[in-house]
C-alpha cells in the first residue's frame, strides 16, 4: 500500500483498471474495514481516503477532539486490501482561497441530521465531490450507518452526473448491537452499556416502540423519525441521541434486516 498526500500523486501513474474509493475520517473500525474489503473484492485498485473534514463539523462540535491515529489506520487499511491511502493535509483539500461548495438542497438535507447540524451535509457533499474528482473512482462505497449521508451522496452523484456507482453497505455492529463508530471511543463503560439502547430502539422498527426503549434507558433523542432516502427505496427508521459527549446515530431499513 502506498500513502499519498496530493491529488497529483493520485494520478501519477493513473491506475489501470477499475478504481474503488472508500472515503473515511479515519480511526478505522470493522465498519470501515467491511467497506474496504468489499471495494478490494470488486475493483482492481482500492483507494481509502483519510481526511477529517472541517467543513462538515459545526461550531462547538468535536472537530478538535475527533480521534486520529494514521499509523494504525494505515496498517488496518492495508490488511483489509487497500492499495492506496490518500491522506491529504488540510491545505491540499482546502487551499486558503477556497470558496466553492456543492449543496444538495431540499428535504433530503433539511430533516434529521440536517436539522440539528446546519451546514453538515453541505460540508459532506463538497468534500465527497472533491474526492470523486481527485480520485476518479468507478465505484464509491458508503455505509448504511449514515443512511441520510448515503442518500445525499446518491442524489449529488446523480444530479451532477458524476460517473461513479455509489454503493451502500450494511451496518456493522458490536456484539450487543451498538453500531460501530469512531465516536464510540468517547464513551466510558457506563455510557457504552447505555448506548446499546439506540440499536434496540431502531430494531423495534416502529417509532413509538423506539421512543419507549430510549425513554426506559433514560436517553433523550435528538430525533426518532422515519425517512425515505429515495422514492424507489424503503423507508428507514433513524435515531440520533447524545450519550455522554458522543452524538450517536443509528437506523434500520423498515422491513429489512440490518
Ligand atoms: P466516517 O469515518 O465516520 O466518516 O465513516 C466513513 C464511512 O464508513 C461512511 O460511509 C460510513 O457510513 C461508514 N461506516 C461508519 N460506521 C459504519 C458501520 N458501523 N457499518 C458500516 N459502515 C460504517
Amino acid at each position: 500500500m502506498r500513502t499519498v498526500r496530493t491529488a497529483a500523486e493520485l494520478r501519477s501513474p493513473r491506475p489501470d483498471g477499475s478504481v474503488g474509493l472508500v472515503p473515511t475520517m479515519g480511526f478505522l473500525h470493522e465498519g470501515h474495514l467491511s467497506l474496504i474489503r468489499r471495494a478490494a473484492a470488486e475493483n482492481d485498485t482500492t483507494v481509502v481516503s483519510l481526511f477529517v473534514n472541517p467543513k462538515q463539523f459545526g461550531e462547538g462540535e468535536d472537530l478538535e477532539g475527533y480521534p486520529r491515529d494514521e499509523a494504525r489506520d494505515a496498517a488496518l487499511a492495508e490488511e483489509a486490501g487497500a492499495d492506496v491511502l490518500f491522506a491529504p493535509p488540510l491545505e491540499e483539500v482546502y487551499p486558503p482561497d477556497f470558496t466553492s461548495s456543492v449543496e444538495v438542497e431540499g428535504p433530503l438535507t433539511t430533516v434529521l441530521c440536517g436539522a440539528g447540524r446546519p451546514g453538515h451535509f453541505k460540508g459532506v457533499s463538497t468534500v465527497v465531490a472533491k474526492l470523486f474528482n481527485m480520485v476518479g473512482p468507478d465505484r464509491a462505497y458508503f455505509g448504511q450507518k449514515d443512511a441520510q449521508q448515503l442518500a445525499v451522496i446518491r442524489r449529488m452523484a446523480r444530479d451532477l452526473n458524476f460517473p461513479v456507482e455509489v454503493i451502500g453497505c450494511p451496518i456493522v455492529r458490536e456484539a450487543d448491537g451498538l453500531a460501530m463508530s469512531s465516536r464510540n471511543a468517547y464513551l466510558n463503560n457506563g455510557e457504552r452499556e447505555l448506548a446499546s439502547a439506540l440499536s434496540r430502539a431502531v430494531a423495534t422498527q416502529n417509532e413509538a416502540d423506539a421512543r419507549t426503549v430510549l425513554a426506559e434507558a433514560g436517553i433523550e433523542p435528538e430525533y426518532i423519525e422515519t425517512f425515505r432516502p429515495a422514492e424507489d427505496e424503503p423507508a428507514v427508521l433513524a435515531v440520533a441521541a447524545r450519550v455522554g459527549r458522543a452524538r450517536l446515530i443509528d437506523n434500520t431499513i423498515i422491513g429489512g434486516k440490518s
Side-chain angles (χ1 to χ4, degrees), residues 1 3 5 24-29 32-33 36 48-52 63-78 85-87 182 185-186:
M1 191 184 73
T3 295
R5 311 262 172 217
T24 82
M25 297 205 300
F27 214 64
L28 302 183
H29 52 66
H32 299 113
L33 300 180
I36 299 170
V48 174
S49 65
L50 175 52
F51 181 65
V52 180
L63 174 61
E64 280 80 28
Y66 197 84
R68 295 164 213 239
D69 189 342
E70 186 184 314
R72 178 176 166 276
D73 288 345
L76 289 171
E78 179 165 31
L85 184 70
F86 177 46
S182 307
Y186 298 151

Side-chain angles (χ1 to χ4, degrees), residues 23-26 29 31-32 35 66 142-143 145-146 149 170-172 180:
T24 82
M25 297 205 300
H29 52 66
H32 299 113
L35 272 53
Y66 197 84
F142 294 86
K145 156 88 189 327
D146 300 271
Q149 168 175 284
I171 302 176
V172 178
M180 290 194 183

Side-chain angles (χ1 to χ4, degrees), residues 175-242:
D176 67 350
L178 177 67
M180 290 194 183
S181 165
S182 307
R183 290 190 167 99
N184 292 349
Y186 298 151
L187 302 170
N188 66 27
N189 290 344
E191 292 161 354
R192 169 64 191 81
E193 232 172 86
L194 205 58
S196 66
L198 268 76
S199 62
R200 280 185 277 117
V202 295
T204 64
Q205 299 243 317
N206 171 298
E207 234 177 91
D209 293 342
R211 274 178 207 287
T212 306
V213 171
L214 288 188
E216 281 171 3
I219 294 174
E220 174 91 39
E222 181 185 311
Y223 63 74
I224 299 179
E225 274 173 54
T226 48
F227 160 74
R228 191 173 283 277
E231 258 178 39
D232 57 351
E233 283 184 48
V236 164
L237 175 61
V239 60
R242 196 163 283 280

Side-chain angles (χ1 to χ4, degrees), residues 45-163:
T45 299
T46 296
V47 179
V48 174
S49 65
L50 175 52
F51 181 65
V52 180
N53 174 33
K55 290 203 187 291
Q56 69 188 73
F57 287 77
E59 227 170 279
E61 291 188 357
D62 57 342
L63 174 61
E64 280 80 28
Y66 197 84
R68 295 164 213 239
D69 189 342
E70 186 184 314
R72 178 176 166 276
D73 288 345
L76 289 171
E78 179 165 31
E79 202 179 297
D83 301 293
V84 177
L85 184 70
F86 177 46
L90 184 64
E91 319 76 64
E92 176 68 9
V93 182
Y94 302 120
D97 57 351
F98 181 90
T99 51
S100 302
S101 62
V102 175
E103 187 165 21
V104 173
E105 296 179 340
L108 216 46
T109 54
T110 51
V111 298
L112 309 181
C113 289
R117 305 183 71 189
H120 168 68
F121 287 116
K122 185 174 169 184
V124 169
S125 45
T126 299
V127 80
V128 172
K130 284 183 64 86
L131 288 167
F132 284 179
N133 282 332
M134 289 189 282
V135 175
D138 300 281
R139 303 186 184 88
Y141 297 80
F142 294 86
Q144 177 66 29
K145 156 88 189 327
D146 300 271
Q148 189 176 12
Q149 168 175 284
L150 173 59
V152 170
I153 300 300
R154 280 196 203 287
R155 177 71 64 83
M156 177 191 79
R158 192 210 61 186
D159 283 357
L160 301 182
N161 300 89
F162 280 100

